[in-house]
Amino acid sequence: MPPESSRPPYAAAGLTAAVVMGIYLATLAPTTAFWDTSEYIAAAKVLGIPHPPGNPLFTLMAHVWGLIPFAPSYAVRINLFAAATSAAAAGLWFLVIERWMRALVPVRWARWGAAFAGVLVGALSWTVWNQSTVNEKVYTVSLLSIALVMWCAVRWADEPETPRRDRWLILIAYLRALTSTNHQMGVLAAPAVGLYVLMTDWRALTRPAVLAGALSAAVVGISINYVYLPIRAGQYPPINEGEPVGFFSQALSDVLNRVQYQKPSVTERQADLLSQIGNYLQYFHWQFARDWPRAAGLATALFSLLGLGGLVALWRSDRRGAVAAGALMVTLIPLLVFYLNFKYGYSMHPDRPDLPREVRERDYFFVASFAAFGILVAAGLGGLMRLIADAVGGDERRRWLAGAPVLALALIPLLGNRVTASRAGETAAHDFAVDLLESVEPYGILITAGDNDTFPLWFAQEVEGVRRDVTLVNLSLANTDWHLRQVRRREIPDFDLAASVPLWGSDSAGGAGRAWAKPAPPVFGFTEQELDQLPEVSRVQPNAGMQFDSLTVRFGQDYLLRQDLAVLALIKQNLGVRPIYFSWSCGAYPDQTFGLTEYLVTQGLVRRLESARIAPDGEVVYNRGMGFVDLPRSRALMWDVYHWPSIARARPRGWIDPPSATILGIYEVVYGGVGGALRDAGLAVEADRADSIAARIRANIGR
């Protein structure tokens, strides 16, 4: 054991964090991305409440960080927040494993080299790297809190036994409670820290001052959930998911307990446990050389052996550290797999399409295990260096230099993940959001389907101010009462032609020489109380329908959900008042649910609802794949508005996230479908161009 006065190598840890940060900077996303990225960036900007459990600590930290002008782009600033918190975690992991390896690798430079190399492997494992270059989730803050709590435990254990020492335990209790207000992932370090404390000085946990101070700190730490969330929700920010208004309210309880997701008990398995473990092993296999499919298995085997060897080496040299590291990995892998109880993985068992599956890959839930695995790799590299040094013999410097080349193994994830983990230059989500919003006439209503076609629009409107006059209605969220209330409550700003695209000032769009008239009535004619009373499910007769002036609705099933009733209300109350659009991301929803095919005309990425049946007239043509197509409007959008080059650009490994490829696929459908209509209209050159773009997108997404 080193002398208690030994100073931790903070400078070396800072250098480690700086190197990791430099790699993240080189591969940083220049804007938003799909999935939850846009939601969290926008929530940080407006001090909103993202999806349950609300993540107030993240929102507050990211909001303050975003006020600092690190970069002109707000999205880049928040992406830097993800990178900085993850890199800081790497620096803390360096401190932890460097301390635990002091008996294993007594030579300082060799120990630092092994610690740096192992931590680099963890920081550049595929999921950690990919999550650290864009703020897709709140998990990099959790990575930081786990590493920080582990380091506090190590520092407490090395402190002299004085009353001042126990302040570390109170700090640990506070941090563990506080990090739960970011995400529950942060508390997963508790078993490892608890065992480390018990093996060091169990009596410390029985001292009254420690018990009282730890309890008080935990109450203060967790209070942010019960104070900030209801206060901020009551101010009705633009993003207010779950709307947890009121102290001790049911809405607050539902948000904190994630009732919206209706997760079953862990005793009610959503997939067999063996498959759930297999899904984790699949994700683990991605971590070390995902760019090299043929060599990925070898890389996984190599680092698995190094990690297991590191645990054995720690057991022999620092049993307390080995127990803590082992407990951390048990918590972050098998126990977490059991607790999360996921359905079958998105890409598991492709030969069985009948299996209930997650809507996307869930590797990010295990990001802490991949980062923490780096400390076992560090110990493995240190143990391997020692084996070589002992075998070589001779003077100390020569012995340890002989083992130094093994540290080069840490370069494998750097080289083997650098293409697909990088987010550099990727602007598809941002460009899609702008393109979709600019497809809609001023003051229009745009109906979208889910997260990936809605969250980027929230980002574009709330962060970049793009087309805030457009009212967004999300079909999946329209099954909740709070979303409908927020649509009803939202104040619609004036349309700003100067900040929009020239199309909406042209004669063909009806905007030249006049201002677009802003409708006076609210989007929903119902009151908030009436919206709350919409039933979750309502039975109807198939093929029955409703008449709205000259528009006939025909029901395609024997029941309607709340979202369907809300859409019917929007149609009834806005037809002829506001333009109504369905994004093509909704697929055949308006056709199958309401029988509206004869009233929908494609205008680029959207379908506009007309009040009367559509008849081809030269400008509006019929296309077998897309139905009615407004050729002049679609051409203007496709060639003068849309950012198709960023969608169709060549990507060396294709689109790495298959579930979100459906968004790119919309462009492929639109450009390919309109291309056919252009060819039928005798516009062969434009048709060839559109077909070429569609083909490039198909190549990207593997169709």
Side-chain angles (χ1 to χ4, degrees):
M1 179 174 290
E4 292 178 345
S5 61
S6 294
R7 178 175 173 79
Y10 290 118
L15 180 61
T16 299
V19 170
V20 171
M21 186 66 180
I23 295 171
Y24 291 164
L25 283 174
T27 55
L28 196 75
T31 183
T32 191
F34 289 118
W35 299 112
D36 298 342
T37 305
S38 297
E39 178 196 17
Y40 281 116
I41 296 176
K45 174 74 171 181
V46 302
L47 274 180
I49 299 174
H51 65 263
N55 316 108
L57 179 62
F58 166 83
T59 303
L60 290 168
M61 292 177 65
H63 180 77
V64 173
W65 179 281
L67 296 175
I68 306 172
F70 293 113
S73 164
Y74 190 84
V76 170
R77 286 182 234 162
I78 304 303
N79 292 342
L80 283 171
F81 178 68
T85 47
S86 188
L92 290 165
W93 285 126
F94 177 93
L95 292 173
V96 171
I97 193 58
E98 191 277 339
R99 170 62 184 86
W100 288 348
M101 287 199 301
R102 289 184 182 179
L104 176 64
V105 185
V107 178
R108 188 175 67 173
W109 69 263
R111 184 171 65 250
W112 287 9
F116 171 80
V119 168
L120 191 66
V121 169
L124 300 184
S125 59
W126 190 86
T127 299
V128 179
W129 191 350
N130 191 251
Q131 288 284 314
S132 301
T133 52
V134 73
N135 200 100
E136 185 188 324
K137 292 282 185 181
V138 298
Y139 298 141
T140 59
V141 175
S142 293
L143 289 182
L144 176 59
S145 59
I146 291 173
L148 180 57
V149 166
M150 290 299 298
W151 173 238
C152 287
V154 170
R155 285 299 297 146
W156 167 82
D158 284 347
E159 284 283 313
E161 294 186 20
T162 65
R164 293 171 57 88
R165 177 198 198 200
D166 290 339
R167 294 182 303 175
W168 287 100
L169 295 180
I170 296 173
L171 176 61
I172 289 170
Y174 172 72
L175 290 172
R176 280 170 50 187
L178 183 65
T179 188
S180 71
T181 67
N182 172 69
H183 193 274
Q184 289 295 328
M185 179 184 285
V187 305
L188 296 179
V193 170
L195 287 172
Y196 199 78
V197 171
L198 289 173
M199 293 181 69
T200 302
D201 181 8
W202 63 269
R203 292 180 298 274
L205 299 179
T206 66
R207 289 193 276 271
V210 172
L211 292 174
L215 180 59
S216 300
V219 170
V220 172
I222 204 171
S223 65
I224 188 174
N225 275 341
Y226 300 94
V227 176
Y228 172 82
L229 284 178
I231 290 176
R232 185 55 180 151
Q235 296 171 335
Y236 301 108
I239 296 175
N240 193 7
E241 297 209 38
E243 210 164 273
V245 178
F247 298 103
F248 310 110
S249 65
Q250 186 62 48
L252 176 60
S253 175
D254 288 349
V255 165
L256 293 176
N257 292 303
R258 303 170 173 83
V259 172
Q260 178 176 320
Y261 303 118
Q262 300 179 341
K263 288 278 286 188
S265 164
V266 293
T267 60
E268 184 183 338
R269 307 308 295 173
Q270 298 195 98
D272 66 88
L273 185 57
L274 190 62
S275 291
Q276 291 173 337
I277 293 172
N279 196 194
Y280 175 83
L281 294 177
Q282 176 192 29
Y283 295 152
F284 185 78
H285 175 66
W286 290 356
Q287 299 308 309
F288 307 107
R290 197 169 182 191
D291 295 351
W292 305 337
R294 295 182 180 178
L298 182 61
T300 301
L302 170 65
F303 286 107
S304 297
L305 289 173
L306 279 173
L308 291 173
L311 188 59
V312 172
L314 278 182
W315 179 260
R316 293 174 177 172
S317 60
D318 188 332
R319 189 151 298 182
R320 185 178 51 176
V323 168
L328 185 61
M329 299 312 296
V330 168
T331 305
L332 294 176
I333 303 176
L335 294 183
L336 189 58
V337 168
F338 181 79
Y339 171 76
L340 291 173
N341 189 19
F342 284 139
K343 299 173 186 176
Y344 291 91
Y346 180 85
S347 58
M348 287 190 73
H349 307 306
D351 57 324
R352 298 184 59 187
D354 57 311
L355 292 176
R357 298 182 183 278
E358 295 294 319
V359 297
R360 62 175 294 196
E361 303 291 5
R362 300 297 192 187
D363 56 302
Y364 54 87
F365 273 96
F366 304 103
V367 66
S369 72
F370 306 138
F373 188 73
I375 65 174
L376 294 184
V377 172
L381 291 170
L384 186 56
M385 289 180 70
R386 180 160 190 159
L387 284 176
I388 295 172
D390 291 344
V392 169
D395 66 273
E396 187 173 66
R397 182 173 179 275
R398 178 174 173 272
R399 291 168 56 222
W400 287 96
L401 279 174
V406 303
L407 300 180
L409 293 174
L411 297 177
I412 291 175
L414 173 64
L415 301 175
N417 291 329
R418 64 184 179 84
V419 175
T420 55
S422 172
R423 307 266 193 164
E426 188 56 75
T427 63
H430 169 275
D431 294 340
F432 163 75
V434 174
D435 291 352
L436 194 56
L437 286 170
E438 292 291 10
S439 301
V440 177
E441 285 187 5
Y443 304 113
I445 297 171
L446 176 60
I447 299 170
T448 57
D451 294 358
N452 267 337
D453 66 341
T454 304
F455 290 166
L457 308 187
W458 289 0
F459 164 85
Q461 287 189 327
E462 302 302 333
V463 177
E464 300 199 336
V466 176
R467 293 301 307 277
R468 298 191 70 247
D469 61 285
V470 175
T471 298
L472 302 176
V473 180
N474 179 293
L475 285 177
S476 61
L477 295 182
N479 285 311
T480 69
D481 51 7
W482 57 264
H483 179 64
L484 299 181
R485 288 197 300 267
Q486 290 173 23
V487 172
R488 169 68 170 77
R489 188 185 302 129
R490 182 175 182 266
E491 294 184 7
I492 301 173
D494 294 338
F495 169 66
D496 183 0
L497 177 60
S500 185
V501 294
L503 171 64
W504 302 122
S506 66
D507 290 328
S508 62
R514 67 172 179 84
W516 289 88
K518 183 176 181 179
V523 171
F524 274 120
F526 294 148
T527 65
E528 291 184 27
Q529 291 73 25
E530 289 171 331
L531 288 171
D532 288 347
Q533 293 170 7
L534 287 178
E536 292 184 5
V537 181
S538 179
R539 296 195 66 84
V540 294
Q541 293 296 321
N543 297 319
M546 304 176 72
Q547 191 76 29
F548 301 139
D549 295 329
S550 56
L551 184 148
T552 302
V553 172
R554 296 289 181 191
F555 301 135
Q557 62 275 328
D558 58 2
Y559 65 90
L560 295 176
L561 300 177
R562 176 181 283 170
Q563 64 176 18
D564 308 324
L565 298 175
V567 170
L568 285 174
L570 286 171
I571 294 173
K572 179 181 179 181
Q573 296 162 6
N574 291 278
L575 202 63
V577 178
R578 289 179 174 86
I580 302 172
Y581 294 85
F582 291 88
S583 166
W584 259 111
S585 55
C586 294
Y589 168 79
D591 309 83
Q592 296 175 352
T593 307
F594 303 122
L596 294 176
T597 304
E598 296 176 295
Y599 301 89
L600 292 167
V601 58
T602 291
Q603 296 178 342
L605 296 172
V606 298
R607 303 169 79 190
R608 176 173 172 140
L609 181 66
E610 301 292 347
S611 58
R613 286 185 173 87
I614 300 167
D617 61 2
E619 291 190 346
V620 175
V621 300
Y622 183 79
N623 177 273
R624 178 176 296 180
M626 305 192 71
F628 294 104
V629 178
D630 182 337
L631 270 185
R633 177 66 58 83
S634 294
R635 291 171 67 196
L637 290 167
M638 289 166 56
W639 307 131
D640 301 331
V641 175
Y642 292 168
H643 299 78
W644 63 262
S646 70
I647 306 297
R649 74 180 180 89
R651 295 172 175 87
R653 299 290 179 185
W655 187 255
I656 196 62
D657 179 39
S660 64
T662 54
I663 300 298
L664 276 68
I666 297 170
Y667 283 85
E668 187 259 330
V669 168
V670 168
Y671 277 84
V674 176
L678 290 169
R679 183 164 282 104
D680 292 341
L683 301 170
V685 174
E686 281 189 47
D688 289 343
R689 185 184 180 196
D691 288 344
S692 173
I693 292 169
R696 288 162 61 181
I697 297 172
R698 278 196 299 273
N700 251 325
I701 59 180
R703 287 188 179 177

